[in-house]
Every structure is written in structure tokens, then in C-alpha cells.
């Protein structure tokens, strides 16, 4: 009897809140549901793929992301159709102190690409140690960026996102904005080993979302953080300082680059290919910055 | 007709395997406990693997093939005994196989030997190092058994030695710690964690062992079931309700309870409820043509039905 009462209360609660949820949100939820249903990823009978992705769970996380996508960052994409079907490695510039750029790119691939793709964002190895957040990343399609995992994803025909600058790019000071930091060559060896086309993407806007002045590495280490940036909003505004400025995001996708060669080639040969990708991203960044009229609009 | 000796024959998996193998082999077995109701043509010897009596059994039975699944996999016995029985017992068994002309040997190791870690790859193959001892020292005996058995492949290549590392086995007859865990009404989990898990039906495992015997396979093979599901789905499908508990409370509590013999497993087992341990079964599928017949739904049903 208790169980039926609980079920009854739950459905009544749902009806009641449903009446207050704005129509726009329900529309967005429906759009996300439709887009997720079209994603070409095989799911088992319980609605999970073998990597832990679940459209049901992901949809709940994508709702706030989609709100940010449409109304906060007002993302515009140029050339998203260049992402090939099947395996692809998206490589872009990383910035913004927190990975909002990755979340927005993922939302772009879901809402803007045809067919919709679930972008597989590569996460740091310590992400799965964090309760709840680790599961969220996995259900949303993310993965720990080990070479084996990335190769497994690509071989399954997924689109993987990597930021070769890593934290170097994400936590750099405002004075270094739009200047590409050192690229880790791992992504190129991965692309060669799995014959995956590399799609360069320039992200405009994330570089200015959270201007950083300095980074208190040593202090951060005391608390177990790899970095502790001092930005326009943090730590003065406390948790509110984590919210970035409402910059306008623009994503410029370049043509896919197919590289051939030995994945175990010497560093110099790999670096030469990495430089090709870097140059392309720089070209797209310059084009994007010239085309825009302002940071926020 | 070939003769197979099964160690650990009185356990659930042993009995199932016996019935499966009786179709094509003569079967006998050893175990520390008796098997009431064993088929009349199956001789079951109650011996300890470490004792001379076991050697006598091997000599007199003179099997052509041996399936070794006689391990203590629970923690009800004390640590030293468990380690001794598992490791020394295996060592003696391997020696006897060499001495008495056994031609095929299948050792049932465990997928748990890889250890559950956050940086684990999605599909671990057999070359992945066996790191379980790092965070779960209580099962280092299983790691050592696996290592000794794998070394045997190279040491005595005249014996077709096959080490199988299956994922978690579930079914109506097997008693594993995981099966006991999933059969509870309220299943404790670690708050904020929900790793992908793989399962295989007990009959599919029998089939895998039979295939390894039939083909005289040599090598180390993961044996994987139909797919992976998150832990909370497995709990739900087995008819239970997950009970998330904060790790900061559970870990020390479990460590203490285990030390006083009040918990069924030590705190190292908690990592298996947090981090993934998913294996690739490609090597075995390619080598033996193994395909699991029982899907996830059927596996969970077999656990539910037993209640």
C-alpha cells in the first residue's frame, strides 16, 4: 500500500511541477530526446552502450547545457557539416579555466550536426574518482583519455574530442589568449594508428570567458587541485565566480585532414604533422577573430 | 574415451560442468566436501589438494585432462589457509599433471585479477597487468595462482595448459560472492559510483571450459558474456533495490567488520563497486569460436528465479 501511495504522490508531483515548467523547456527537452534518438551509437537492451553512455541519463544533463548553448553563450557554428561520419578526431584550442568549451562543443554536435553525434570528450584520469561527476561524464559519453580507450572509441566509429594543450591551454592567463600552447603529440600518434581523420576546430569566445591573471599552483596542491587560477570572478565572488562571462561562442570547423604513416615514428616526424594541424587552427582562429565585431555579441 | 578430473567438483559450477562433460568424457573429481547425489559413474574423492592422498588419486585415476576449479573463493576460512590451499594446492596439482601424463589442463582463474581502477581501459585484453593486489591484497592468492598457471604454459609446453579468466558468473547453481551480493533485497552501493559490469551465465562458462578441452587450447583467455550494464541496472534486474552509502563511512566500517569476521569481504572489494573492470573476449572468440548463448535478461532472470 505504501508503494502505491508513493507512486501516486510521485506522479502527482510530476503533474504539478509539469504545470509550472515553461513550455520552452519542455520543447527543448523534446528536441533533445529526438536528437538523441537519432545518434548512430548501438545501445544494448537496457539503453546503454558498452562504454557507459546512456541517452536517457545524458538528456537530463544536456538540458542545462542546451540552455547555456542557446541563451547564454549563444553558440554559432561554421562548417560543422565537415565532421565526417564514422570515426573522427576533433582537435581544438582549449581555454576558459573550466571545460565549458567541451560541453558546448558536445551540445553543438548533438543539436547542430546531421546526423546528431554524441561527442566523446576525453577527460583527465582522475575524473572517475569524483563521486557523481565521474558517472555523469561517463553517461554523457565521456571517457578517460588513455590511448587504449581513445582507440576503442575511434574503432567503434565515434567522434572523439581532444584538446592537445590540456590544462596548459585551459588555465593560461588572459595575456596568452588565442596563443596556442604546446600541443601534446599523442593525438597524432592515435590518428595514425587508427587511420582517423583529424578535424581542426577553432573555438572563439572561450578564451575570454574567464580572464585569468595568475595561477596559484602550490596553494592548489595543498588542497589537492592541480591548479588554482585567480580570475576576474574567482575567488572573490566565491562559487558565483565559477560562472564565466556571457561571451559569444563561435566554432569554426576546418576540413578533415587525413594523415598516413607510422604511429611509432620518431618525434620529429610526428611534430611536423602536429604543426600542420596547429597551423590550420591558427588560420581558423584568425579568420574567426577578424569576422567578429565583439566579444559578447 | 578421454577421462577428465575436475577439482572443486562438488561446487555449483563443478556439478554443472560434470553434467556437460559426461556427454563426451569419463568424469571423476576431487573436492574437500562430498557430492551427495553425484551420478553413479562419477567418482568423487574427498581430499585436500595439498596432501599426498591427492597425488594418489591422480596416479590411480590417470586422467588425460584436468579442470582445476578447486579454489577457496570466499573469506570464511582464514587468510593463511585460503592462500595455502589455493597457491600450494595449484602448485602440487601442476606437478602431478606433469608427473602422471596429463595432456590437457584448464585452470579457472578469474577476471577479478586485473583489479578495478579508474584508469582501466574499456576492454582489457589478456596482456593487461594483474594489478588486483595493489588495492585488494586479500585476493593476491588468485593473482599468484594465475601467474603460476600462466608460467606453466611455457614451462611444460607438452601439456596443453589453458588459463581462463571469466567475468562475474551468475546463475541458479553457482555460489559466488557477487551472486550473494546481488541476491539481497537492499544492495549496498557506494554513493556516486555506478561502474559498468559484465556477467556470464554459468552454463556459458561450462561451454567455454568444454570448448577449451575439446580443442586442447593453450594460452590465457578472458571469457566474456553478452555485454555490460551499470551496477544499478544489474541490481534492479535481479530484483533488488540499490542502497547508496557514502564511502567515507563504509570503508572504515567494512575494514573493521571484516577484521572481526562480521563482513563477508574486505574493504578492497569496495573498489569493484566503484571502478570498471570490463574485459575483451576477442582472443577466446577468435581461438575457440566461443559465443555466449545466454543474454543479460536471462542471466538476471536466473538470479531472480532462485529466490
Amino acid at each position: 500500500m505504501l508503494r502505491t501511495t508513493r507512486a501516486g504522490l510521485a506522479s502527482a508531483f510530476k503533474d504539478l511541477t509539469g504545470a509550472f515548467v515553461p513550455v520552452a523547456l519542455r520543447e527543448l527537452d523534446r528536441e533533445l530526446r529526438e536528437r538523441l534518438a537519432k545518434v548512430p551509437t548501438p545501445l544494448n537492451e537496457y539503453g546503454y552502450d558498452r562504454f557507459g553512455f546512456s541517452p536517457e541519463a545524458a538528456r537530463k544533463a544536456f538540458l542545462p547545457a542546451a540552455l547555456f548553448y542557446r541563451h547564454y553563450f549563444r553558440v554559432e557554428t561554421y562548417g560543422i557539416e565537415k565532421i565526417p561520419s564514422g570515426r573522427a578526431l576533433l582537435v581544438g584550442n582549449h581555454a576558459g579555466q573550466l571545460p565549458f568549451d567541451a560541453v558546448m562543443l558536445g551540445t553543438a554536435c548533438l543539436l547542430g550536426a546531421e546526423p546528431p553525434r554524441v561527442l566523446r570528450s576525453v577527460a583527465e584520469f582522475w575524473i572517475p574518482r569524483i563521486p557523481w561527476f565521474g558517472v555523469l561524464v561517463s553517461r554523457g559519453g565521456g571517457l578517460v583519455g588513455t590511448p587504449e580507450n581513445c582507440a576503442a572509441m575511434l574503432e567503434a566509429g565515434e567522434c572523439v574530442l581532444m584538446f592537445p594543450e590540456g590544462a596548459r591551454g585551459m588555465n593560461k592567463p588572459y595575456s596568452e589568449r588565442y596563443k596556442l600552447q604546446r600541443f601534446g603529440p599523442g593525438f597524432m600518434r592515435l590518428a595514425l594508428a587508427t587511420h582517423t581523420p583529424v578535424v581542426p576546430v577553432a573555438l572563439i569566445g572561450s578564451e575570454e570567458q574567464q580572464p585569468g591573471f595568475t595561477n596559484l599552483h602550490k596553494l592548489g596542491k595543498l588542497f589537492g587541485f592541480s591548479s588554482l587560477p585567480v580570475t576576474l570572478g574567482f575567488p572573490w565572488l566565491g562559487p558565483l565566480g565559477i560562472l564565466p562571462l556571457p561571451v559569444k561562442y563561435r566554432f569554426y570547423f576546418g576540413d578533415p585532414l587525413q594523415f598516413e604513416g607510422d604511429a611509432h615514428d620518431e618525434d620529429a616526424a610526428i611534430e611536423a604533422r602536429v604543426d600542420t594541424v596547429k597551423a590550420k587552427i591558427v588560420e581558423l582562429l584568425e579568420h574567426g577573430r577578424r569576422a567578429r565585431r565583439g566579444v559578447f555579441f | 574415451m578421454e577421462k577428465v578430473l575436475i577439482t572443486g567438483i562438488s561446487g555449483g559450477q563443478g556439478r554443472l560442468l560434470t553434467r556437460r562433460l559426461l556427454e563426451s568424457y569419463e568424469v571423476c573429481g576431487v573436492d574437500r566436501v562430498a557430492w551427495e547425489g553425484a551420478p553413479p559413474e562419477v567418482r568423487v574423492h574427498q581430499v585436500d589438494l595439498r596432501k599426498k592422498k591427492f597425488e594418489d588419486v591422480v596416479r590411480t585415476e590417470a586422467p588425460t585432462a584436468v579442470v582445476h576449479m578447486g579454489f577457496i573463493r570466499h573469506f570464511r576460512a582464514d587468510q593463511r589457509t585460503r592462500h595455502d590451499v589455493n597457491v600450494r594446492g595449484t602448485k602440487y596439482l601442476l606437478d602431478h599433471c606433469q608427473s602422471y601424463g596429463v595432456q590437457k589442463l584448464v585452470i579457472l582463474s578469474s577476471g577479478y585479477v586485473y583489479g578495478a581502477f579508474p584508469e582501466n581501459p574499456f576492454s582489457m585484453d589478456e596482456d593487461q597487468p594483474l594489478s588486483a593486489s595493489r588495492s585488494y591484497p586479500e585476493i593476491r592468492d588468485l593473482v599468484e595462482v594465475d601467474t603460476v598457471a600462466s608460467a606453466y604454459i611455457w614451462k611444460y609446453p607438452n601439456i596443453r595448459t589453458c588459463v581462463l579468466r571469466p567475468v562475474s558468473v551468475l546463475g541458479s547453481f553457482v555460489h559466488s560472492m557477487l551472486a550473494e551480493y546481488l541476491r539481497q533485497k537492499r544492495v549496498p552501493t557506494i554513493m556516486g559510483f555506478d561502474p559498468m559490469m559484465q556477467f556470464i551465465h554459468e552454463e556459458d562458462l561450462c561451454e567455454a571450459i568444454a570448448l577449451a578441452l575439446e580443442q586442447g587450447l593453450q594460452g590465457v583467455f578472458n571469457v566474456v558474456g553478452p555485454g555490460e550494464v551499470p551496477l544499478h541496472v544489474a541490481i534492479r534486474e535481479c530484483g533488488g533495490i540499490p542502497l547508496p552509502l557514502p564511502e567515507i563511512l563504509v570503508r572504515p566500517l567494512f575494514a573493521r567488520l571484516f577484521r572481526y569476521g562480521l563482513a563477508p569481504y574486505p574493504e578492497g572489494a569496495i573498489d569493484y563497486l566503484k571502478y570498471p573492470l570490463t574485459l575483451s573476449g576477442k582472443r577466446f572468440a577468435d581461438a575457440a569460436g566461443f559465443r555466449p548463448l545466454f543474454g543479460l535478461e536471462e542471466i538476471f532472470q536466473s538470479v531472480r528465479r532462485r529466490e
Side-chain angles (χ1 to χ4, degrees):
Chain A
M1 199 188 104
L2 190 66
R3 204 169 288 173
T4 49
T5 313
R6 240 195 296 164
L9 278 172
S11 73
F13 182 72
K14 221 190 228 172
D15 291 340
L16 214 65
T17 50
F20 290 116
V21 167
V23 180
L25 264 180
R26 259 179 286 159
E27 277 299 308
L28 192 57
D29 190 55
R30 196 159 51 77
E31 185 185 350
L32 285 170
R33 196 191 293 265
E34 279 168 11
R35 302 290 296 180
L36 280 164
K38 284 196 224 156
V39 167
T41 292
L43 303 171
N44 69 9
E45 61 264 52
Y46 298 103
Y48 293 86
D49 85 342
R50 64 182 184 99
F51 305 115
F53 164 65
S54 155
E56 261 309 297
R59 201 186 83 246
K60 301 193 178 93
F62 268 116
L63 191 59
L67 285 172
F68 269 83
Y69 183 83
R70 291 247 159 92
H71 305 293
Y72 197 80
F73 295 116
R74 298 144 290 140
V75 180
E76 272 172 17
T77 64
Y78 302 89
I80 198 167
E81 64 279 357
K82 293 186 184 171
I83 302 178
S85 60
R87 66 182 70 178
L89 190 59
L90 244 62
V91 167
N93 54 309
H94 203 18
Q97 310 299 346
L98 284 172
F100 284 89
D101 50 4
V103 178
M104 288 301 106
L105 249 179
T107 314
C109 287
L110 182 65
L111 293 177
E114 290 306 330
R117 304 288 292 269
V118 168
L119 189 61
R120 305 300 190 137
S121 296
V122 158
E124 298 273 355
F125 63 89
W126 41 262
I127 295 282
R129 289 181 203 269
I130 306 174
W132 290 289
F133 189 65
V135 182
L136 186 69
V137 168
S138 167
R139 296 288 168 273
L143 65 153
V144 172
T146 57
E148 300 93 348
N149 282 352
C150 295
M153 280 285 184
L154 290 171
E155 264 142 40
E158 299 286 336
C159 182
V160 175
L161 169 67
M162 287 184 105
F163 290 117
E165 292 165 295
R168 287 184 296 277
M170 193 168 71
N171 297 128
K172 63 180 183 275
Y174 191 59
S175 50
E176 291 285 306
R177 67 190 182 284
Y178 295 109
K179 292 192 196 141
L180 288 183
Q181 308 295 302
R182 183 178 64 83
F183 264 38
F187 80 94
M188 183 52 66
R189 293 191 188 276
L190 179 70
L192 289 171
T194 54
H195 304 287
T196 304
V198 175
V199 180
V201 47
L203 291 85
I204 312 275
S206 57
E207 308 271 338
E208 287 119 337
Q209 74 186 21
Q210 187 75 275
F213 304 117
T214 183
N215 203 322
L216 305 172
H217 290 281
K218 295 209 184 87
L219 190 64
K221 268 212 179 70
L222 268 172
F223 295 104
F225 301 126
S226 54
S227 74
L228 195 63
V230 176
T231 70
L232 204 62
F234 187 84
W236 338 111
L237 298 177
L240 206 65
I242 293 173
L243 189 69
L245 296 167
V247 297
K248 187 161 178 70
Y249 269 31
R250 293 176 171 88
F251 299 147
Y252 287 84
F253 295 83
D255 290 314
L257 303 165
Q258 190 77 45
F259 294 96
E260 295 300 329
D262 180 14
H264 303 290
D265 215 341
E266 44 182 69
D267 290 343
I270 300 291
E271 287 297 334
R273 293 184 177 96
V274 170
D275 287 340
T276 315
V277 179
K278 265 183 107 165
K280 191 67 199 164
I281 296 176
V282 166
E283 187 190 311
L284 290 163
L285 279 171
E286 282 175 4
H287 170 78
R289 290 179 76 190
R290 258 180 285 128
R292 71 172 178 176
R293 275 175 293 126
V295 172
F296 297 97
F297 295 103
Chain B
M1 193 154 62
E2 269 191 78
K3 189 187 216 181
V4 181
L5 173 85
I6 301 176
T7 70
I9 195 172
S10 306
Q13 192 73 58
R15 298 184 192 198
L16 263 178
L17 183 65
T18 305
R19 293 190 204 281
R20 169 70 183 77
L21 293 180
L22 271 175
E23 296 168 19
S24 4
Y25 302 88
E26 207 189 313
V27 181
C28 61
V30 307
D31 205 309
R32 290 174 316 139
V33 302
W35 178 1
E36 316 293 342
E41 62 270 38
V42 176
R43 267 182 311 283
V44 177
H45 306 269
Q46 252 182 290
V47 289
D48 185 323
L49 294 181
R50 301 168 289 172
K51 300 286 198 304
K52 176 125 195 341
K53 206 167 154 227
F54 174 54
E55 188 175 358
D56 296 336
V57 169
V58 179
R59 187 176 44 246
T60 51
E61 288 284 1
T64 50
V66 170
V67 177
H68 183 32
M69 44 170 77
F71 301 108
I72 303 180
R73 292 198 200 269
H74 56 75
F75 293 103
R76 290 192 292 276
D78 78 286
Q79 280 267 280
R80 276 176 207 260
T81 310
R82 189 189 131 122
H83 190 282
D84 201 37
V85 167
N86 289 345
V87 178
R88 205 149 60 91
T90 300
K91 170 80 175 51
Y92 288 168
L93 170 74
L94 297 177
D95 288 342
H96 301 331
C97 286
Q98 176 64 11
S99 311
Y100 299 109
V102 171
Q103 287 153 26
K104 292 180 194 168
L105 173 59
V106 177
I107 295 157
L108 197 62
S109 176
S110 164
Y112 292 151
V113 294
Y114 295 107
F117 298 101
E119 62 271 14
N120 272 351
F122 290 124
S123 300
M124 293 192 284
D125 65 17
E126 292 78 353
D127 297 326
Q128 180 82 7
L130 310 182
S131 310
S133 327
R134 199 195 308 164
S135 58
Y136 193 0
E138 290 84 357
I139 65 165
R140 70 182 177 286
D141 54 356
L142 294 184
V143 176
E144 282 164 35
V145 162
D146 194 298
T147 311
V148 157
S150 304
Y152 205 66
I153 300 172
W154 308 111
K155 202 169 162 203
Y156 299 116
N158 53 306
I159 304 181
R160 312 288 298 173
T161 306
C162 177
V163 178
L164 297 179
R165 295 175 185 156
V167 297
S168 304
V169 189
L170 289 180
S172 328
F173 295 99
V174 283
H175 301 282
S176 60
M177 287 208 302
L178 181 83
E180 298 303 314
Y181 169 75
L182 284 174
R183 280 191 189 115
Q184 297 169 94
K185 275 283 171 315
R186 290 201 168 270
V187 185
T189 62
I190 305 298
M191 209 177 250
F193 293 93
D194 194 19
M196 299 301 279
M197 292 192 140
Q198 292 170 314
F199 303 99
I200 187 171
H201 193 273
E202 55 192 2
E203 291 193 35
D204 274 329
L205 183 59
C206 284
E207 200 51 45
I209 298 171
L211 270 176
L213 276 177
E214 242 166 78
Q215 300 179 20
L217 280 187
Q218 198 167 39
V220 181
F221 300 95
N222 292 337
V223 181
V224 169
E228 33 291 281
V229 281
L231 172 61
H232 88 274
V233 171
I235 294 173
R236 186 191 70 210
E237 292 298 310
C238 287
I241 302 171
L243 182 68
L245 301 167
E247 186 183 357
I248 201 163
L249 291 178
V250 175
R251 264 225 135 87
L253 183 70
F254 238 76
R256 280 196 184 82
L257 284 178
F258 181 74
R259 223 179 307 145
Y260 303 130
L262 296 168
Y265 25 79
E267 43 132 345
I270 287 174
D271 281 346
Y272 292 81
L273 301 179
K274 289 176 67 183
Y275 302 129
L277 177 64
T278 43
L279 311 184
S280 163
K282 189 171 184 299
R283 197 190 274 190
F284 193 54
D286 290 344
F290 173 71
R291 299 278 178 280
L293 282 178
F294 291 81
L296 285 169
E297 171 63 46
E298 289 156 302
I299 293 176
F300 296 134
Q301 212 168 33
S302 70
V303 175
R304 280 202 306 267
R305 230 189 291 125
R306 200 171 168 270
E307 285 163 15

